[in-house]
Amino acid sequence: MSAVSSKVRRTGAVLTVFLKEVRENLRDRRTLMSAFLTGPLLGPLLFVMLVSVQVNRELDKADQPLHVPVIGAQYAPHLVDALKEGGIVPDAPVADPGTAVHKQDADVVLRIAADYGKAWRKGEPVQVEMFYDSSRQDTRSAVERVGKLVETYARQQGAMRLVARGLSPGTAWPVQVAKRDQATPQSRAVLMFAMLPYFFVITLFMGGMYLAIDLTAGERERQSLEPLFANPVARWKILVGKLAAICVFSLTSLAITLLAFAVVGRFIPAEKLGMELDLGWHFAGYVLLLMLPLVMLLAALQTLVAAFAKSYREAQTYISLLMMVPLIPSALLAFLPIKAQAWMYAVPLLGQNLGIMQQLRGDGVSGEQLLLCLAGTLAAALVAAAVTAQLYRSEKLAISG
């Protein structure tokens, strides 16, 4: 009987703290805006809108005539005609092609040498210079379009020269590469949505951030933490109640985000680029499962960091620095592509990134990989919670100033 009563008291203490913190923070406009509106709803809408605008811009550039300044067009009329057939509109020459590209007055500039005609008649190689700026992502499609047209024209003319000399055009190309692209329409979508895992992690982070700050540093600054600790309740029970409240806010924030992506993701014109994107309920459920232990880990880390701060503002500074940590795995996979090893799934954040990316590609995750991801992150969450619980035992935590 006493064991049952003890269990009831333990459950009641945790539940009381949990309900208290949730109820109080539901009245906090800043917490509600961060957890349920700004990031979860506006974030996906803005993300999808930017992607859709980029896709439509790329499609418009591919379909519309491309204006390209051509220097020395009179020296290669046949080449200029071939460019016109490919949708290129030769514009008036510019005095300095390098400066025109640098100042973004033109995406691409072609310059044909004055001795083009003389070298052409002799059957000698001729040179066409193409000026562009590879650091400008918005001009990549224009550069590729012009480059392919010039290369196609060069191949055609080279083949005609060989035929005129009684040779097979294949003589100039003894080795031909047959490209076999193994990418699926779904896997190609990964190129566009490589930062999506980071977006989900940040949603979790922001969903519980203000709550974690208020429940520790905020209460410490308001001097309401000391009366709470004065109750005849074990400190770890108070901590569990606070962590549960943070986890609920974070999970709700993530759920709203996944719901928003499931709805607005249908409006992304990915199929126009030969891509297939599935952000529906199956994807949402999978992401939610992967993120469950990460919710606990982030809540414990945020509470731990906030416990070291003496004021609300100081805790904001510390946790803002902590926000940079989730960026590391996404940046690592984006700029240093690596082949996933089994042990990587056990690394918190990295495992979630790998799992979400594989789901986007349509490859799926094996049971072993899923188990490693959940177990590794859960173990880290328990360690972080244990360290935070040890800090909660300190009497200095309740003292402000």
Side-chain angles (χ1 to χ4, degrees), residues 285-354:
Y286 177 80
V287 172
L288 200 60
L289 176 61
L290 278 179
M291 291 294 185
L292 278 177
L294 190 61
V295 174
M296 299 173 57
L297 175 60
L298 291 179
L301 288 177
Q302 288 174 331
T303 303
L304 178 63
V305 172
F308 282 102
K310 296 181 180 180
S311 65
Y312 194 100
R313 186 180 297 274
E314 186 178 348
Q316 276 186 307
T317 303
Y318 292 162
I319 293 185
S320 297
L321 295 176
L322 182 65
M323 195 185 302
M324 299 301 296
V325 175
L327 179 62
I328 297 175
S330 296
L332 181 66
L333 295 176
F335 299 106
L336 296 174
I338 54 178
K339 182 179 179 180
Q341 305 294 329
W343 63 267
M344 296 180 182
Y345 289 88
V347 179
L349 293 174
L350 181 59
Q352 278 75 18
N353 271 265
L354 291 173

Side-chain angles (χ1 to χ4, degrees), residues 138-261:
D138 59 323
T139 64
R140 183 175 57 184
S141 60
V143 173
E144 292 179 353
R145 185 175 173 184
V146 175
K148 286 181 180 179
L149 285 174
V150 175
E151 290 177 3
T152 300
Y153 176 79
R155 280 183 173 272
Q156 291 175 347
Q157 297 303 315
M160 292 177 62
R161 286 184 179 184
L162 292 173
V163 171
R165 289 165 173 76
L167 299 175
S168 170
T171 303
W173 298 282
V175 178
Q176 295 186 358
V177 179
K179 298 181 179 180
R180 305 283 188 262
D181 189 359
Q182 301 302 301
T184 63
Q186 190 169 354
S187 66
R188 280 193 289 269
V190 175
L191 298 174
M192 187 180 298
F193 295 91
M195 293 302 290
L196 199 57
Y198 175 71
F199 188 90
F200 291 143
V201 175
I202 287 299
T203 298
L204 276 182
F205 198 99
M206 295 297 296
M209 183 179 74
Y210 288 109
L211 190 61
I213 296 174
D214 185 71
L215 297 191
T216 305
E219 290 195 2
R220 187 180 186 184
E221 187 176 29
R222 294 191 300 269
Q223 297 182 352
S224 60
L225 197 59
E226 187 174 359
L228 182 62
F229 284 173
N231 288 289
V233 179
R235 297 284 182 88
W236 69 265
K237 299 175 187 177
I238 297 175
L239 174 62
V240 171
K242 290 178 178 291
L243 290 179
I246 298 171
C247 289
V248 166
F249 271 69
S250 296
L251 274 176
T252 304
S253 180
L254 179 62
I256 295 173
T257 297
L258 292 172
L259 176 63
F261 269 112

Side-chain angles (χ1 to χ4, degrees), residues 22-33:
V22 170
R23 187 165 51 249
E24 289 181 357
N25 281 274
L26 282 177
R27 304 190 190 103
D28 188 351
R29 184 180 303 175
R30 177 172 47 188
T31 301
L32 292 178
M33 290 286 289

Side-chain angles (χ1 to χ4, degrees), residues 374-387:
L374 297 178
T377 308
L378 180 59
L382 293 176
V383 171
V387 174

